[in-house]
Amino acid sequence: MVAVPAPEATHSARALFVRRAAWRWEEIAFWICAALSYFIFPGHLVLLTQAMITGLFVVSLDIMFGYAGIPSFGHAAFFGIGAYTAGILARDWWGDPLLGLVAGALVAGLAGAICSQLVARLHGIAMLMVTLGIGLICYEIANKWNSLTGGDDGLQGMQITPLLGLFTFDIDGRVGFIYSFIVIFVLYLLARRLVNSPFGLALKGIRENVRRVPALGIGVRVQLAMAFTISAAMAGVAGALLAETTQYIALEVLGFDRSISVQIALVLGGIGSLIGGMIGAVVYTVLRDQLSLINPAYWDFWVGLVLVIIVMSGTGGVTGILRRSVDWVIARVKR
Amino acid sequence: MVDFVNILGAGVAYGVLLFLMAGGLSVTMGMMGFANLAHGSLSMLGGYIVVMLMNWYGWPFFGALPMAAIGAAAAGVLVERTIFRRFYWGNQLDQVLLTIGIVTMTVAAATFVWGAVPPAVHVPAFLVGRVHFGWFDIGSYRLFLIIFGGLLTLALVLGLEYTSFGARIRAAVDNRRMTVSCGINIDRLFMLAFAIGSALAGLGGGLAIYLVGLDPAFPVKYLVYLLIVVVVGGMGSIRGTLAASLALGICDVVGKYYIPYLGAFIIYGVTVVILMFRPNGLFGRGH
């Protein structure tokens, strides 16, 4: 007998997904602030662009870590692959920025699809180790393959043509900002659509109880591999964006430090909410820029302390704290 | 051939060092299910205790080493009692993030207190230079490391196999619930195991300075190697950790000498491949 869901059941299931996909106020507030920052801080557009690109990178990790529960110490590998793909393409063949983005996404996604076959069959610490190994191997390849990547000196000589043939990337970063803003916003919408779909719900199920999900007829490995691949492709776009807007690639894009700092930024902002990743990245990037002027060592200390406090208190990062305090204020006002 | 034996000796010495630093981590991971990425910070602490006692207060090397072990054990127990014990058997991702935060803090704190410049230590004269055995020779310090580490390993293995304390630890690694049911105070057992592991890490840090140097980035630099050793060896297995440490030490030194441009690839590649086929490590039993 074929089980046909009752009409009201599908209706309520749809209602569930609609409710889950509703825009929250912190998302709206973030994107409005991000758009306004173009007018408020015209002198800091380069930094803001980098903060948003880091945001996209953190969001890509959030899909994998926050939703699917795959921890990674090597996510910079895909960011770096995207960056080097766009960079090498612009140096040796075509400098069209959009083409670079697509190429970065494809190559990083392909690498992610291959790696996902290794990662998806593991769990816990073993996952962490294999992603770490992948990250370190990619770093070593870029480091040693001088003729292709420029090695330790970084990749130079990218020729980025004007966007759509109309807008030349300027030194103040105005075009870079708007270009990045639009690309990141579109990808954010896609990511939102993804995590609020049945697929996103399945990922959460795997994260919460990996044994029970197969009983619902969902294959764990396939879902994890898909999440990993999508996350890698998205990280690749972020890398390609950074390469195109700075027109230079340092070897550090692939570094272990970057893999760690993206994890830190995610926890700082709040795991498993997408917007938390954007907020965490902006807070992290801007604070580091300001505080490391004083002394980089102190900055690391406070970052570590904040991380420990967030994990120990379980507050859900900046977004969680914001959300709770606003809820508290609203409750007060209503009463 | 003689060359190869010399390099092998250096690799074994390096492996012993890795074993001292990773042994405690393996026990904590196997026994308490706690991924303590900050284990290398305890080694760094031990290293800086040796440096401080020797260079500031003029202690002899062999007087400073036990203090490194004691200091690291004290710091380890303090953190274990106040923070780590709340996270045992909890969410591993939380543990990873928590201890990464602690690593970041200790690196910054070490830069603040001891500065970023790697300090030098002067080991006793009889450990400087090389010892000749007929047709091959080995650095005295390396030979000392191998003998000292060998004795320590022997003591550890015997202690685990033949004492009641060791039996309790093995029981806790194998089956925590059953151990508790037998009326063993597992909380105290954890604390003691953590103290011993921290002491070993501190000792390893003190011994490492002369061979590989010491700077505030030490916990980050060795994090990768320690994790590889523990995960490949199998969490909670002392023999597995020893085997993996020696293998990694030898591969690293031999690889750097003969095929310098491929050395790192081989280690990471082999790690990934081993984990593909044995997710619980070579000697580990699944939990």
Side-chain angles (χ1 to χ4, degrees), chain B residues 230-273:
Chain B
V230 170
V231 175
V232 168
M235 296 168 200
S237 158
I238 285 288
R239 284 158 195 215
T241 308
L242 179 64
S245 305
L246 291 177
L248 179 61
I250 292 169
C251 283
D252 197 44
V253 174
V254 171
K256 267 182 192 148
Y257 191 82
Y258 286 107
I259 30 174
Y261 48 90
L262 273 183
F265 290 112
I266 295 174
I267 288 169
Y268 305 143
V270 168
T271 303
V272 170
V273 170

Side-chain angles (χ1 to χ4, degrees), chain B residues 97-212:
Chain B
L97 295 169
L98 176 83
T99 49
I100 272 290
I102 292 176
V103 169
T104 317
M105 284 170 73
T106 53
V107 169
T111 315
F112 179 69
V113 178
W114 294 292
V117 184
V121 290
H122 299 284
V123 296
F126 70 94
L127 291 179
V128 184
R130 304 183 71 81
V131 191
H132 299 271
F133 293 98
W135 52 275
F136 93 101
D137 60 340
I138 183 170
S140 309
Y141 192 77
R142 293 205 163 95
L143 184 66
F144 156 72
L145 259 186
I146 294 172
I147 294 172
F148 184 72
L151 289 177
L152 215 65
T153 310
L154 198 67
L156 265 181
V157 170
L158 291 181
L160 270 179
E161 295 283 339
Y162 295 108
T163 66
S164 140
F165 178 70
R168 273 179 277 161
I169 287 192
R170 278 183 292 135
V173 171
D174 273 359
N175 192 331
R176 181 173 52 105
R177 283 187 187 171
M178 199 59 214
T179 313
V180 177
S181 312
C182 291
I184 290 170
N185 185 347
I186 207 160
D187 196 49
R188 216 177 116 239
L189 193 65
F190 281 174
M191 192 179 81
L192 283 173
F194 203 91
I196 294 172
S198 307
L200 282 180
L203 199 61
L207 288 168
I209 314 168
Y210 187 68
L211 204 60
V212 297

